[in-house]
């Protein structure tokens, strides 16, 4: 009730009247929006018919005509590539290592749910865990997917609960700790995946054997986590009053924006090694991560600069007039507003980055798409089912990008962009 | 009610001294030798036609604009390139803008406590207490947890005044604080400013609210083309202006 706007708490002069009722319910809505004129009604019927026919053919194909066995055959390799094959991991007992990483992810999602006031973190955490739990019940024979694999997948439910309790009831339930744990978890993940020489349970797995969706997600996570801070630094540098800093930032941005990512990935083979000492263990994964991150940072810098540019001059002036030094004005006043205003562009950049991780196939890394493509190439009996395969891979990408887009929409709502 | 009187004992020096201040925007000579001074506790109102340099002048006092010739001395500290001097002066000089310039991503309370916590290093709880007192003083304690976008213009400007006062400034600068407001909101903001004037604050106010100026001002300065062409107490300024330009200007704004 907005009574506090009534000066001195006076009773209102006229009684409150509820707002006029508009047409409610599905029928009311359809009537008001779809059949409100003869013209519109005809259009609705036409579009409806075309959609129905299209949908019918799609469903018929999906259910009766398509043969999805190719997906089942590739199975877990979609997720971890050749990581657990004889060649990469003699004995095939490396499968549990990426599973530990997955458990860390669900724990973090649980922590997010535990501390968040809104329902978005909860929905995302539950949806992700539900998908993982469903995987445990895939109708594979026990020989192809053993109890151990299934139990590790099921363990994500208690992991989620543990994370939730940590976030809810312990002092670790803060955004700062989530960030710290995320970074630490990523490093633990890298160590686990790499293995340790001399520890039997952790026999080393060559990095060029890593692949599948894990590879896409790792590259995306590193790229997203680093390109935002680097992009912010570049954007601030480009606005710097020091000519050298400004020039360097402009040069960096223009170079990395001006060259296609594919070219950069090729160049990474020859150029990245120049920037490191000779005996530095440079693998393709590291080079790809560097290039993807820098490429994305250049775009990120321009997004953020756009946000800074759009701010009213009076904001910084008011902060300076209060005695805030320049860097605090930037960190507390300008940047938070600039970033809020360009969240859609930033998330668009993140989504683009995630999809671009597929391009690492050109430096012979087996991302999820390349796993599928090479499989078809090596097993020509499945050639006629390439359709099913690529539709499935497209769906996998879509689930993640839609998730990002959903979360960003909710973050925007939460921050009240455009309202305040 | 909080005591906003300066803590320092009254000294002989004026709070603000401007001597032959010049300022150019590119080749455009905006301030062409402004010389004046403001005593402790005095209220000075600045009027003048649009583009005459009123805003530019008061913005040189806290270095939002840099002057290129002449001297400005605020509470004994000369405004030079020395960043420490500039920061010291900004801490002691509050400013209220025509467009309020509240921080839209912070709540009203956070707007008011930001500078005391970050610049004066107060404890958050102390800053919150002072902020609530100030919001009560400007009449909107119940809006503390709202965001600026949810307030009326008059309420926003009162928050802006509270925000400036939270730093315990010795001087307050107002640049047309009511020009962006509807008439009934103008009154609520002027009431707050009148109250502040009575508390003994040193104030420089750019405004065309003649009634308010007559009531509150010790002196009225008339700016024209970058110089002060008339400097007189309100009664004399309005009833018996010396300069023909002032007479023309007054006849325009008083109709
Ligand atoms: N940042 C700037 N760059 C270039 N010119 C400026 C700048 N700020 C102000 N000016 C010019 O300087 C002159 C004086 O501006 P100022 O804002 O001080 O006038 P004012 O007396 O406050 O006028 P008003 O009553 O319209 O606010 C104007 O001609 C204006 O166009
Ligand atoms: Mg002005």
């Amino acid at each position: 009730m907005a009574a506090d706007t009534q000066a001195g708490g006076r009773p209102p002069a006229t009684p409150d009247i509820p707002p006029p009722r508009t047409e409610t319910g599905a029928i009311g809505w359809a009537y008001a929006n779809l059949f409100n004129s003869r013209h519109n009604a005809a259009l609705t019927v036409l579009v409806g018919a075309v959609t129905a026919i299209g949908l019918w053919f799609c469903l018929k194909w999906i259910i009766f005509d398509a043969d999805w066995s190719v997906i089942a055959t590739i199975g877990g390799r979609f997720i971890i590539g050749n990581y657990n094959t004889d060649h990469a991991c003699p004995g095939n007992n490396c499968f549990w290592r990426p599973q530990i990483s997955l458990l860390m992810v669900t724990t973090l999602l649980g922590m997010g749910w535990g501390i968040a006031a809104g329902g978005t973190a909860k929905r995302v955490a539950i949806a992700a865990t539900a998908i993982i739990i469903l995987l445990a019940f895939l109708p594979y024979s026990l020989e192809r997917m053993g109890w151990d694999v299934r139990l590790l997948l099921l363990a994500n439910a208690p992991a989620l609960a543990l994370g939730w309790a940590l976030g809810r009831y312990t002092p670790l339930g803060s955004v700062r700790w989530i960030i710290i744990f995320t970074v630490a978890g990523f490093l633990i993940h890298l160590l686990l995946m790499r293995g340790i020489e001399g520890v039997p349970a952790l026999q080393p797995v060559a990095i060029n054997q890593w692949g599948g969706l894990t590879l896409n997600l790792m590259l995306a996570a590193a790229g997203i986590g680093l390109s935002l801070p680097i992009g912010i630094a570049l954007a601030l540098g480009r606005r710097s009053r020091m000519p050298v800093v400004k020039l360097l930032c402009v040069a960096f941005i223009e170079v990395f924006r001006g060259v296609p990512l594919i070219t950069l990935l090729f160049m990474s083979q020859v150029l990245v090694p120049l920037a490191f000492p000779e005996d530095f263990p440079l693998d393709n994964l590291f080079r790809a991560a560097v290039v993807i991150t820098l490429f994305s940072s250049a775009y990120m810098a321009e997004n953020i600069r756009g946000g800074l540019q759009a701010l009213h001059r009076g904001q910084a002036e008011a902060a300076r007039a209060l005695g805030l030094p320049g860097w605090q004005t930037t960190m507390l006043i300008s940047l938070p507003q600039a970033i809020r205003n360009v969240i859609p562009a930033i998330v668009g950049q993140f989504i683009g980055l995630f999809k671009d991780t597929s391009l690492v196939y050109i430096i012979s890394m087996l991302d999820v798409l390349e796993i599928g493509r090479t499989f078809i190439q090596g097993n020509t009996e499945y050639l006629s089912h390439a359709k099913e395969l690529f539709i499935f891979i497209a769906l996998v990408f879509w689930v993640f990008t839609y998730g990002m887009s959903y979360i960003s929409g909710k973050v925007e709502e939460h921050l009240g962009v455009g309202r305040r | 009610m909080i005591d906003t009187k300066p803590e320092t004992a009254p000294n002989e020096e004026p709070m603000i001294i401007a001597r032959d201040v010049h300022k150019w925007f590119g080749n455009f000579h905006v301030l062409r030798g402004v010389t004046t001074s403001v005593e402790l506790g005095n209220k000075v109102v600045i009027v003048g036609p649009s583009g005459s340099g009123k805003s530019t002048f008061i913005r040189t006092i806290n270095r939002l604009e840099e002057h290129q010739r002449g001297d400005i001395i605020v509470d004994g500290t000369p405004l030079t390139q020395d960043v420490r001097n500039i920061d010291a002066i900004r801490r002691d000089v509050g400013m209220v803008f025509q467009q309020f310039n509240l921080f839209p991503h912070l709540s009203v309370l956070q707007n008011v406590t930001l500078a005391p916590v970050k610049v004066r290093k107060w404890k958050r709880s102390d800053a919150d207490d002072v902020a609530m007192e100030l919001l009560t003083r400007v009449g909107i304690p119940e809006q503390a947890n709202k965001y600026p976008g949810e307030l009326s213009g008059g309420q926003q400007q009162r928050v802006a005044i509270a925000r400036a006062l939270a730093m315990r400034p010795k001087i307050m600068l107002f640049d047309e604080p009511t020009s962006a407001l509807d008439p009934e909101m103008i009154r609520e903001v002027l009431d707050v400013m009148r109250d502040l004037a009575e508390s003994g604050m040193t104030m420089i106010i750019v405004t065309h609210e003649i009634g308010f100026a007559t009531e509150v001002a010790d002196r009225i300065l008339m700016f024209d083309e970058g110089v002060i062409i008339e400097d007189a107490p309100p009664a004399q300024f309005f009833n018996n202006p010396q300069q023909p330009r002032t007479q023309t200007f007054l006849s325009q704004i008083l109709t």
Side-chain angles (χ1 to χ4, degrees), chain A residues 313, chain B residues 25 28 30 48-57 65 98 175-176 208:
Chain A
R313 194 170 64 128
Chain B
F25 283 119
F28 177 47
V30 194
S50 181
S52 57
K54 308 178 296 290
S55 299
T56 307
F57 175 65
E65 303 288 358
Q98 182 177 350
D175 190 0
E176 306 206 32
H208 292 155

Side-chain angles (χ1 to χ4, degrees), chain B residues 26-98:
Chain B
N27 286 327
F28 177 47
H29 199 171
V30 194
L31 300 181
R32 301 161 175 248
V34 177
T35 302
T36 189
S37 62
V38 179
E39 307 289 330
L40 176 70
N42 268 18
K43 288 91 185 112
V44 172
V45 164
I46 299 179
V47 298
S50 181
S52 57
K54 308 178 296 290
S55 299
T56 307
F57 175 65
I58 71 165
R59 288 158 59 87
T60 58
I61 295 171
N62 64 354
R63 250 308 155 101
L64 289 182
E65 303 288 358
E66 192 178 327
H67 65 286
Q68 285 126 327
R69 224 169 79 191
D71 303 306
I72 300 177
I73 300 164
V74 179
D75 195 23
T77 311
L79 266 174
T80 58
Q81 292 296 345
D82 192 332
V83 182
R84 278 166 307 172
N85 281 0
I86 296 174
D87 283 346
I89 286 171
R90 282 180 178 160
R91 283 195 290 272
D92 289 345
V93 178
M95 186 162 204
V96 174
F97 301 84
Q98 182 177 350

Side-chain angles (χ1 to χ4, degrees), chain A residues 4-5 312-325 328 332-334 336-337 340 419-420, chain B residues 59 62 64-65 90 93 95 97 101-106 114-115 118-119 142 146-147 150 163-164 167:
Chain A
D4 56 344
T5 54
H312 190 266
R313 194 170 64 128
Q315 288 292 310
E317 281 178 355
R320 299 312 298 274
L322 284 166
L324 285 160
Q328 278 194 339
L332 300 172
I333 304 300
S334 306
Q337 294 187 53
R340 275 162 49 118
R419 183 160 52 84
R420 287 174 195 147
Chain B
R59 288 158 59 87
N62 64 354
L64 289 182
E65 303 288 358
R90 282 180 178 160
V93 178
M95 186 162 204
F97 301 84
N101 292 345
L102 293 179
F103 306 130
H105 62 304
L106 302 179
L114 179 76
K118 298 291 174 186
V119 180
E142 75 281 359
K146 289 197 183 167
Y147 282 83
E150 298 168 305
R163 177 176 72 175
M167 282 296 279

Side-chain angles (χ1 to χ4, degrees), chain B residues 203-249:
Chain B
M203 294 159 79
I204 301 187
I205 306 155
V206 178
T207 183
H208 292 155
E209 294 293 329
I210 299 308
F212 176 79
T214 313
E215 191 186 330
V216 165
D218 296 297
R219 284 153 57 205
I220 299 188
L221 309 184
M222 167 83 189
F223 265 64
D224 191 30
E225 299 190 337
V227 289
I228 298 172
I229 59 167
E230 186 123 18
D231 176 351
Q236 189 191 330
F237 187 91
F238 290 116
N239 300 329
N240 188 18
Q242 303 298 303
Q243 300 292 326
R245 280 288 296 128
T246 314
Q247 292 162 7
T248 330
F249 177 74

